Amino acid sequence: MGAQSAGPLVVGVDSSTQSTKALVVDAVTGAVIARGQAPHTVSGGAGKESDPRQWWQALGEALAQCGDAARQASAVSVGGQQHGLVTLDAAGAPVRPAMLWNDVRPAPQSERLIAERGGAKAWADRVGSVPGPTFTVTKWAWLRANEPAAAAATAAVRLPHDYLTERLTGEAVTDRGDASGTGWWASSTESYDAEILAHVGLDPELLPRVALPGEAAGTVHADHLPLPKGALVAVGTGDNMAAALGLGLRPGRPVLSLGTSGTVYAVSTHRPSDPTGTVAGFADARGDWLPLVCTLNCTLAVDRVAALLGRDREAVEDGGGVVMLPFLDGERTPNLPGASGLVHGLRHDTTAGQLLQAAYDGAVFTLLKALDQLLDADAEPDAPLLLIGGGARGRAWRETVRRLSGRPVVVPEARELVALGAAAQAAGLLLEEDPAAVARRWGTARGAEYEARPRDEAARERLAATLADGEPLLRW
């Protein structure tokens, strides 16, 4: 248990790739009263899949760990991993395991859909994003091509957070933020795109309705959960949108998140449309936009390199000219789904610590390169980077970001920002307030501040040249 409560309690849920976390939070002060966490399993091999029923079981376990505090909650909201394809039969049971965001098997379907619907610019103009292999629409196309019986048996299509919200409330509902990562919700019209759905053979009746920001999804009706029946359930959102809420982001403030995947994003008042496909033109959970870039290889890839070298993840060394692009799982940004890791410039005098530092540099460089494309007229060019995610606590990650970005860095004290953002959404619904303003009142973005360092232009140039010259190898 955490602090004592002064106001009504709300629950924020983070259903991620690896686990479900639940926080019970004081809606007025933001104090975390209780927390719980339970793991998920993800399949290995070419596909990345999970049984959605384990998310529900993990939610129950995480809430149970919160004890009596969860039973006193007045509202709840779920933030969930984006892009996942959840297929349900007529009884609401999974037809097959969910295909997760980092499953890049639909790379051929991505290329085909882009070509068949007018090219990358047409997709960006219409949908807001170019549908890479991670997008839900390409996963549905893959399923129809490779498992037609499963596609035919599907009576409902959901995103991961939708699945949990529906089991809580009995209502088929999603939000604009998470829907904007499907590839079949168009940012130009803020609605499902009938032509795209027809093109991929998906009946719109199989999809949940898209609720307005601030609208309730329903109330808790599920049995056997330590939540009060009748508690309000906010519509929820995708994990990145929830983290933006959790930080109380104002337009133009850049965020760099270091986790299993790496992400950079900023809230914008301008609808994004990037014909290169690098920037995903997501909607946020409030009514604005959340241009975002995601990489597949971040902390896990660097940890794997450290393990191969037999070194602690912090045991980096400066110097040397070695370059590493740690694309161990294929890569989303740049769009190289078949890529593997690449090392260039290895010498007799290269040390293991320098090679490990090169892995950090490669992971951070791709994110910073994308950040330059993402920021728009709302952005402050010298604004501090908000550094979040598991990697933000690591000195090697923080110093690499400072050296390669040339920007000041702030590491917020608040952790579990997706769950906090979901809690802020629940509190906003309960108190009839803007959820981002709720999070700002909670002070979630406060943290340690680090001054800007001179940008390491030589390292950035080496990385840029290696990425450009090595692209034919990375496309294998």
PDB file of all heavy atoms in Angstrom, residues 287-318:
ATOM      1  N   GLY A 287      -8.279  14.785 -28.320  1.00  0.00           N
ATOM      2  CA  GLY A 287      -8.840  15.589 -29.406  1.00  0.00           C
ATOM      3  C   GLY A 287      -7.761  16.241 -30.241  1.00  0.00           C
ATOM      4  O   GLY A 287      -8.057  16.832 -31.284  1.00  0.00           O
ATOM      5  N   ASP A 288      -6.497  16.168 -29.786  1.00  0.00           N
ATOM      6  CA  ASP A 288      -5.363  16.651 -30.578  1.00  0.00           C
ATOM      7  C   ASP A 288      -4.730  15.476 -31.304  1.00  0.00           C
ATOM      8  O   ASP A 288      -5.386  14.460 -31.545  1.00  0.00           O
ATOM      9  CB  ASP A 288      -4.340  17.359 -29.671  1.00  0.00           C
ATOM     10  CG  ASP A 288      -4.825  18.715 -29.179  1.00  0.00           C
ATOM     11  OD1 ASP A 288      -5.534  19.404 -29.945  1.00  0.00           O
ATOM     12  OD2 ASP A 288      -4.508  19.089 -28.035  1.00  0.00           O
ATOM     13  N   TRP A 289      -3.455  15.608 -31.623  1.00  0.00           N
ATOM     14  CA  TRP A 289      -2.751  14.601 -32.422  1.00  0.00           C
ATOM     15  C   TRP A 289      -1.466  14.181 -31.714  1.00  0.00           C
ATOM     16  O   TRP A 289      -0.961  14.904 -30.856  1.00  0.00           O
ATOM     17  CB  TRP A 289      -2.466  15.139 -33.829  1.00  0.00           C
ATOM     18  CG  TRP A 289      -3.736  15.566 -34.493  1.00  0.00           C
ATOM     19  CD1 TRP A 289      -4.258  16.819 -34.543  1.00  0.00           C
ATOM     20  CD2 TRP A 289      -4.699  14.717 -35.129  1.00  0.00           C
ATOM     21  NE1 TRP A 289      -5.479  16.816 -35.178  1.00  0.00           N
ATOM     22  CE2 TRP A 289      -5.768  15.537 -35.553  1.00  0.00           C
ATOM     23  CE3 TRP A 289      -4.757  13.344 -35.386  1.00  0.00           C
ATOM     24  CZ2 TRP A 289      -6.879  15.036 -36.215  1.00  0.00           C
ATOM     25  CZ3 TRP A 289      -5.861  12.845 -36.051  1.00  0.00           C
ATOM     26  CH2 TRP A 289      -6.908  13.677 -36.467  1.00  0.00           C
ATOM     27  N   LEU A 290      -0.961  13.027 -32.084  1.00  0.00           N
ATOM     28  CA  LEU A 290       0.240  12.495 -31.433  1.00  0.00           C
ATOM     29  C   LEU A 290       1.169  11.896 -32.491  1.00  0.00           C
ATOM     30  O   LEU A 290       1.299  10.677 -32.596  1.00  0.00           O
ATOM     31  CB  LEU A 290      -0.131  11.438 -30.385  1.00  0.00           C
ATOM     32  CG  LEU A 290       0.986  11.077 -29.402  1.00  0.00           C
ATOM     33  CD1 LEU A 290       1.200  12.211 -28.406  1.00  0.00           C
ATOM     34  CD2 LEU A 290       0.660   9.775 -28.667  1.00  0.00           C
ATOM     35  N   PRO A 291       1.804  12.761 -33.320  1.00  0.00           N
ATOM     36  CA  PRO A 291       2.783  12.228 -34.266  1.00  0.00           C
ATOM     37  C   PRO A 291       3.853  11.449 -33.515  1.00  0.00           C
ATOM     38  O   PRO A 291       4.393  11.936 -32.521  1.00  0.00           O
ATOM     39  CB  PRO A 291       3.341  13.480 -34.942  1.00  0.00           C
ATOM     40  CG  PRO A 291       3.005  14.620 -34.038  1.00  0.00           C
ATOM     41  CD  PRO A 291       1.741  14.228 -33.345  1.00  0.00           C
ATOM     42  N   LEU A 292       4.138  10.243 -33.991  1.00  0.00           N
ATOM     43  CA  LEU A 292       4.971   9.316 -33.225  1.00  0.00           C
ATOM     44  C   LEU A 292       5.817   8.471 -34.165  1.00  0.00           C
ATOM     45  O   LEU A 292       5.378   8.099 -35.251  1.00  0.00           O
ATOM     46  CB  LEU A 292       4.075   8.422 -32.367  1.00  0.00           C
ATOM     47  CG  LEU A 292       4.722   7.350 -31.506  1.00  0.00           C
ATOM     48  CD1 LEU A 292       3.931   7.179 -30.197  1.00  0.00           C
ATOM     49  CD2 LEU A 292       4.786   5.991 -32.224  1.00  0.00           C
ATOM     50  N   VAL A 293       7.013   8.169 -33.720  1.00  0.00           N
ATOM     51  CA  VAL A 293       7.887   7.228 -34.422  1.00  0.00           C
ATOM     52  C   VAL A 293       8.272   6.133 -33.447  1.00  0.00           C
ATOM     53  O   VAL A 293       8.597   6.403 -32.280  1.00  0.00           O
ATOM     54  CB  VAL A 293       9.146   7.927 -34.965  1.00  0.00           C
ATOM     55  CG1 VAL A 293      10.069   6.912 -35.632  1.00  0.00           C
ATOM     56  CG2 VAL A 293       8.769   9.025 -35.953  1.00  0.00           C
ATOM     57  N   CYS A 294       8.219   4.892 -33.904  1.00  0.00           N
ATOM     58  CA  CYS A 294       8.525   3.739 -33.061  1.00  0.00           C
ATOM     59  C   CYS A 294       9.609   2.904 -33.706  1.00  0.00           C
ATOM     60  O   CYS A 294       9.588   2.672 -34.928  1.00  0.00           O
ATOM     61  CB  CYS A 294       7.265   2.895 -32.867  1.00  0.00           C
ATOM     62  SG  CYS A 294       7.514   1.408 -31.882  1.00  0.00           S
ATOM     63  N   THR A 295      10.565   2.463 -32.902  1.00  0.00           N
ATOM     64  CA  THR A 295      11.562   1.490 -33.355  1.00  0.00           C
ATOM     65  C   THR A 295      11.336   0.182 -32.613  1.00  0.00           C
ATOM     66  O   THR A 295      10.878   0.163 -31.472  1.00  0.00           O
ATOM     67  CB  THR A 295      12.994   1.988 -33.097  1.00  0.00           C
ATOM     68  OG1 THR A 295      13.199   2.124 -31.685  1.00  0.00           O
ATOM     69  CG2 THR A 295      13.250   3.315 -33.779  1.00  0.00           C
ATOM     70  N   LEU A 296      11.671  -0.930 -33.252  1.00  0.00           N
ATOM     71  CA  LEU A 296      11.477  -2.235 -32.621  1.00  0.00           C
ATOM     72  C   LEU A 296      12.600  -2.585 -31.656  1.00  0.00           C
ATOM     73  O   LEU A 296      12.402  -3.341 -30.709  1.00  0.00           O
ATOM     74  CB  LEU A 296      11.394  -3.338 -33.691  1.00  0.00           C
ATOM     75  CG  LEU A 296      10.166  -3.360 -34.586  1.00  0.00           C
ATOM     76  CD1 LEU A 296      10.241  -4.549 -35.529  1.00  0.00           C
ATOM     77  CD2 LEU A 296       8.890  -3.423 -33.768  1.00  0.00           C
ATOM     78  N   ASN A 297      13.800  -2.079 -31.918  1.00  0.00           N
ATOM     79  CA  ASN A 297      14.982  -2.507 -31.166  1.00  0.00           C
ATOM     80  C   ASN A 297      15.465  -1.404 -30.247  1.00  0.00           C
ATOM     81  O   ASN A 297      16.000  -0.398 -30.702  1.00  0.00           O
ATOM     82  CB  ASN A 297      16.103  -2.880 -32.136  1.00  0.00           C
ATOM     83  CG  ASN A 297      15.752  -4.074 -32.997  1.00  0.00           C
ATOM     84  OD1 ASN A 297      15.876  -5.206 -32.581  1.00  0.00           O
ATOM     85  ND2 ASN A 297      15.270  -3.802 -34.208  1.00  0.00           N
ATOM     86  N   CYS A 298      15.250  -1.619 -28.947  1.00  0.00           N
ATOM     87  CA  CYS A 298      15.706  -0.614 -27.989  1.00  0.00           C
ATOM     88  C   CYS A 298      16.376  -1.308 -26.816  1.00  0.00           C
ATOM     89  O   CYS A 298      17.448  -1.880 -26.965  1.00  0.00           O
ATOM     90  CB  CYS A 298      14.541   0.279 -27.581  1.00  0.00           C
ATOM     91  SG  CYS A 298      15.047   1.807 -26.786  1.00  0.00           S
ATOM     92  N   THR A 299      15.768  -1.318 -25.638  1.00  0.00           N
ATOM     93  CA  THR A 299      16.485  -1.814 -24.460  1.00  0.00           C
ATOM     94  C   THR A 299      16.805  -3.308 -24.539  1.00  0.00           C
ATOM     95  O   THR A 299      17.897  -3.729 -24.134  1.00  0.00           O
ATOM     96  CB  THR A 299      15.680  -1.535 -23.176  1.00  0.00           C
ATOM     97  OG1 THR A 299      14.393  -2.126 -23.281  1.00  0.00           O
ATOM     98  CG2 THR A 299      15.532  -0.037 -22.954  1.00  0.00           C
ATOM     99  N   LEU A 300      15.868  -4.129 -25.049  1.00  0.00           N
ATOM    100  CA  LEU A 300      16.139  -5.562 -25.119  1.00  0.00           C
ATOM    101  C   LEU A 300      17.292  -5.861 -26.059  1.00  0.00           C
ATOM    102  O   LEU A 300      18.107  -6.754 -25.790  1.00  0.00           O
ATOM    103  CB  LEU A 300      14.889  -6.326 -25.567  1.00  0.00           C
ATOM    104  CG  LEU A 300      13.755  -6.468 -24.556  1.00  0.00           C
ATOM    105  CD1 LEU A 300      12.644  -7.338 -25.138  1.00  0.00           C
ATOM    106  CD2 LEU A 300      14.239  -7.052 -23.242  1.00  0.00           C
ATOM    107  N   ALA A 301      17.372  -5.127 -27.165  1.00  0.00           N
ATOM    108  CA  ALA A 301      18.459  -5.351 -28.119  1.00  0.00           C
ATOM    109  C   ALA A 301      19.807  -4.994 -27.503  1.00  0.00           C
ATOM    110  O   ALA A 301      20.791  -5.746 -27.637  1.00  0.00           O
ATOM    111  CB  ALA A 301      18.220  -4.537 -29.394  1.00  0.00           C
ATOM    112  N   VAL A 302      19.875  -3.857 -26.820  1.00  0.00           N
ATOM    113  CA  VAL A 302      21.137  -3.463 -26.194  1.00  0.00           C
ATOM    114  C   VAL A 302      21.501  -4.416 -25.057  1.00  0.00           C
ATOM    115  O   VAL A 302      22.670  -4.792 -24.894  1.00  0.00           O
ATOM    116  CB  VAL A 302      21.060  -2.007 -25.704  1.00  0.00           C
ATOM    117  CG1 VAL A 302      22.285  -1.633 -24.875  1.00  0.00           C
ATOM    118  CG2 VAL A 302      20.937  -1.062 -26.898  1.00  0.00           C
ATOM    119  N   ASP A 303      20.508  -4.850 -24.284  1.00  0.00           N
ATOM    120  CA  ASP A 303      20.787  -5.833 -23.236  1.00  0.00           C
ATOM    121  C   ASP A 303      21.310  -7.140 -23.824  1.00  0.00           C
ATOM    122  O   ASP A 303      22.176  -7.800 -23.234  1.00  0.00           O
ATOM    123  CB  ASP A 303      19.523  -6.120 -22.419  1.00  0.00           C
ATOM    124  CG  ASP A 303      19.182  -5.002 -21.454  1.00  0.00           C
ATOM    125  OD1 ASP A 303      19.994  -4.068 -21.302  1.00  0.00           O
ATOM    126  OD2 ASP A 303      18.097  -5.058 -20.842  1.00  0.00           O
ATOM    127  N   ARG A 304      20.806  -7.517 -24.991  1.00  0.00           N
ATOM    128  CA  ARG A 304      21.283  -8.744 -25.634  1.00  0.00           C
ATOM    129  C   ARG A 304      22.742  -8.593 -26.058  1.00  0.00           C
ATOM    130  O   ARG A 304      23.542  -9.523 -25.903  1.00  0.00           O
ATOM    131  CB  ARG A 304      20.404  -9.080 -26.847  1.00  0.00           C
ATOM    132  CG  ARG A 304      20.815 -10.339 -27.587  1.00  0.00           C
ATOM    133  CD  ARG A 304      20.771 -11.555 -26.677  1.00  0.00           C
ATOM    134  NE  ARG A 304      21.219 -12.757 -27.362  1.00  0.00           N
ATOM    135  CZ  ARG A 304      21.822 -13.774 -26.751  1.00  0.00           C
ATOM    136  NH1 ARG A 304      22.060 -13.726 -25.443  1.00  0.00           N
ATOM    137  NH2 ARG A 304      22.182 -14.832 -27.430  1.00  0.00           N
ATOM    138  N   VAL A 305      23.089  -7.425 -26.592  1.00  0.00           N
ATOM    139  CA  VAL A 305      24.484  -7.179 -26.965  1.00  0.00           C
ATOM    140  C   VAL A 305      25.376  -7.232 -25.728  1.00  0.00           C
ATOM    141  O   VAL A 305      26.458  -7.835 -25.742  1.00  0.00           O
ATOM    142  CB  VAL A 305      24.619  -5.827 -27.688  1.00  0.00           C
ATOM    143  CG1 VAL A 305      26.094  -5.477 -27.916  1.00  0.00           C
ATOM    144  CG2 VAL A 305      23.878  -5.861 -29.023  1.00  0.00           C
ATOM    145  N   ALA A 306      24.923  -6.628 -24.624  1.00  0.00           N
ATOM    146  CA  ALA A 306      25.696  -6.672 -23.378  1.00  0.00           C
ATOM    147  C   ALA A 306      25.900  -8.116 -22.925  1.00  0.00           C
ATOM    148  O   ALA A 306      27.012  -8.494 -22.503  1.00  0.00           O
ATOM    149  CB  ALA A 306      24.989  -5.864 -22.297  1.00  0.00           C
ATOM    150  N   ALA A 307      24.855  -8.935 -23.031  1.00  0.00           N
ATOM    151  CA  ALA A 307      24.973 -10.337 -22.627  1.00  0.00           C
ATOM    152  C   ALA A 307      25.959 -11.093 -23.520  1.00  0.00           C
ATOM    153  O   ALA A 307      26.757 -11.909 -23.039  1.00  0.00           O
ATOM    154  CB  ALA A 307      23.596 -11.003 -22.664  1.00  0.00           C
ATOM    155  N   LEU A 308      25.896 -10.843 -24.821  1.00  0.00           N
ATOM    156  CA  LEU A 308      26.839 -11.501 -25.746  1.00  0.00           C
ATOM    157  C   LEU A 308      28.281 -11.134 -25.427  1.00  0.00           C
ATOM    158  O   LEU A 308      29.198 -11.953 -25.584  1.00  0.00           O
ATOM    159  CB  LEU A 308      26.501 -11.113 -27.191  1.00  0.00           C
ATOM    160  CG  LEU A 308      25.243 -11.740 -27.794  1.00  0.00           C
ATOM    161  CD1 LEU A 308      24.911 -11.073 -29.125  1.00  0.00           C
ATOM    162  CD2 LEU A 308      25.431 -13.246 -27.986  1.00  0.00           C
ATOM    163  N   LEU A 309      28.479  -9.897 -24.985  1.00  0.00           N
ATOM    164  CA  LEU A 309      29.825  -9.425 -24.656  1.00  0.00           C
ATOM    165  C   LEU A 309      30.232  -9.799 -23.234  1.00  0.00           C
ATOM    166  O   LEU A 309      31.389  -9.571 -22.838  1.00  0.00           O
ATOM    167  CB  LEU A 309      29.900  -7.906 -24.818  1.00  0.00           C
ATOM    168  CG  LEU A 309      29.725  -7.369 -26.247  1.00  0.00           C
ATOM    169  CD1 LEU A 309      29.570  -5.857 -26.224  1.00  0.00           C
ATOM    170  CD2 LEU A 309      30.908  -7.783 -27.119  1.00  0.00           C
ATOM    171  N   GLY A 310      29.279 -10.343 -22.441  1.00  0.00           N
ATOM    172  CA  GLY A 310      29.580 -10.697 -21.067  1.00  0.00           C
ATOM    173  C   GLY A 310      29.810  -9.494 -20.175  1.00  0.00           C
ATOM    174  O   GLY A 310      30.600  -9.558 -19.220  1.00  0.00           O
ATOM    175  N   ARG A 311      29.126  -8.375 -20.479  1.00  0.00           N
ATOM    176  CA  ARG A 311      29.335  -7.143 -19.724  1.00  0.00           C
ATOM    177  C   ARG A 311      28.029  -6.672 -19.088  1.00  0.00           C
ATOM    178  O   ARG A 311      26.936  -6.928 -19.610  1.00  0.00           O
ATOM    179  CB  ARG A 311      29.870  -6.023 -20.638  1.00  0.00           C
ATOM    180  CG  ARG A 311      31.258  -6.304 -21.172  1.00  0.00           C
ATOM    181  CD  ARG A 311      31.747  -5.186 -22.058  1.00  0.00           C
ATOM    182  NE  ARG A 311      32.179  -4.002 -21.330  1.00  0.00           N
ATOM    183  CZ  ARG A 311      33.372  -3.855 -20.795  1.00  0.00           C
ATOM    184  NH1 ARG A 311      34.264  -4.826 -20.850  1.00  0.00           N
ATOM    185  NH2 ARG A 311      33.705  -2.731 -20.179  1.00  0.00           N
ATOM    186  N   ASP A 312      28.155  -5.963 -17.978  1.00  0.00           N
ATOM    187  CA  ASP A 312      27.024  -5.262 -17.405  1.00  0.00           C
ATOM    188  C   ASP A 312      26.543  -4.214 -18.400  1.00  0.00           C
ATOM    189  O   ASP A 312      27.348  -3.631 -19.132  1.00  0.00           O
ATOM    190  CB  ASP A 312      27.443  -4.592 -16.091  1.00  0.00           C
ATOM    191  CG  ASP A 312      26.285  -3.878 -15.419  1.00  0.00           C
ATOM    192  OD1 ASP A 312      26.103  -2.670 -15.725  1.00  0.00           O
ATOM    193  OD2 ASP A 312      25.592  -4.496 -14.612  1.00  0.00           O
ATOM    194  N   ARG A 313      25.222  -3.954 -18.423  1.00  0.00           N
ATOM    195  CA  ARG A 313      24.684  -3.015 -19.417  1.00  0.00           C
ATOM    196  C   ARG A 313      25.236  -1.598 -19.263  1.00  0.00           C
ATOM    197  O   ARG A 313      25.185  -0.817 -20.202  1.00  0.00           O
ATOM    198  CB  ARG A 313      23.157  -2.992 -19.355  1.00  0.00           C
ATOM    199  CG  ARG A 313      22.572  -2.475 -18.054  1.00  0.00           C
ATOM    200  CD  ARG A 313      21.080  -2.190 -18.213  1.00  0.00           C
ATOM    201  NE  ARG A 313      20.309  -3.378 -18.441  1.00  0.00           N
ATOM    202  CZ  ARG A 313      19.622  -4.025 -17.499  1.00  0.00           C
ATOM    203  NH1 ARG A 313      19.669  -3.595 -16.242  1.00  0.00           N
ATOM    204  NH2 ARG A 313      18.911  -5.085 -17.785  1.00  0.00           N
ATOM    205  N   GLU A 314      25.757  -1.255 -18.096  1.00  0.00           N
ATOM    206  CA  GLU A 314      26.319   0.087 -17.889  1.00  0.00           C
ATOM    207  C   GLU A 314      27.820   0.155 -18.205  1.00  0.00           C
ATOM    208  O   GLU A 314      28.408   1.239 -18.139  1.00  0.00           O
ATOM    209  CB  GLU A 314      26.095   0.530 -16.439  1.00  0.00           C
ATOM    210  CG  GLU A 314      24.637   0.736 -16.062  1.00  0.00           C
ATOM    211  CD  GLU A 314      24.034   1.990 -16.678  1.00  0.00           C
ATOM    212  OE1 GLU A 314      24.793   2.925 -17.026  1.00  0.00           O
ATOM    213  OE2 GLU A 314      22.804   2.037 -16.847  1.00  0.00           O
ATOM    214  N   ALA A 315      28.428  -0.972 -18.548  1.00  0.00           N
ATOM    215  CA  ALA A 315      29.889  -1.020 -18.714  1.00  0.00           C
ATOM    216  C   ALA A 315      30.303  -0.582 -20.110  1.00  0.00           C
ATOM    217  O   ALA A 315      30.912  -1.323 -20.887  1.00  0.00           O
ATOM    218  CB  ALA A 315      30.406  -2.417 -18.403  1.00  0.00           C
ATOM    219  N   VAL A 316      29.997   0.675 -20.451  1.00  0.00           N
ATOM    220  CA  VAL A 316      30.337   1.234 -21.760  1.00  0.00           C
ATOM    221  C   VAL A 316      31.662   1.986 -21.661  1.00  0.00           C
ATOM    222  O   VAL A 316      32.080   2.412 -20.589  1.00  0.00           O
ATOM    223  CB  VAL A 316      29.235   2.178 -22.272  1.00  0.00           C
ATOM    224  CG1 VAL A 316      27.944   1.418 -22.517  1.00  0.00           C
ATOM    225  CG2 VAL A 316      28.991   3.318 -21.283  1.00  0.00           C
ATOM    226  N   GLU A 317      32.315   2.138 -22.816  1.00  0.00           N
ATOM    227  CA  GLU A 317      33.569   2.883 -22.887  1.00  0.00           C
ATOM    228  C   GLU A 317      33.516   3.825 -24.080  1.00  0.00           C
ATOM    229  O   GLU A 317      33.002   3.475 -25.146  1.00  0.00           O
ATOM    230  CB  GLU A 317      34.760   1.932 -23.032  1.00  0.00           C
ATOM    231  CG  GLU A 317      34.961   1.017 -21.831  1.00  0.00           C
ATOM    232  CD  GLU A 317      36.054  -0.014 -22.060  1.00  0.00           C
ATOM    233  OE1 GLU A 317      36.853   0.163 -23.008  1.00  0.00           O
ATOM    234  OE2 GLU A 317      36.099  -1.000 -21.307  1.00  0.00           O
ATOM    235  N   ASP A 318      34.067   5.034 -23.898  1.00  0.00           N
ATOM    236  CA  ASP A 318      34.129   6.015 -24.968  1.00  0.00           C
ATOM    237  C   ASP A 318      35.231   5.637 -25.962  1.00  0.00           C
ATOM    238  O   ASP A 318      36.091   4.813 -25.692  1.00  0.00           O
ATOM    239  CB  ASP A 318      34.418   7.401 -24.397  1.00  0.00           C
ATOM    240  CG  ASP A 318      33.278   7.917 -23.528  1.00  0.00           C
ATOM    241  OD1 ASP A 318      32.137   7.477 -23.761  1.00  0.00           O
ATOM    242  OD2 ASP A 318      33.545   8.731 -22.631  1.00  0.00           O
TER     243      ASP A 318
END
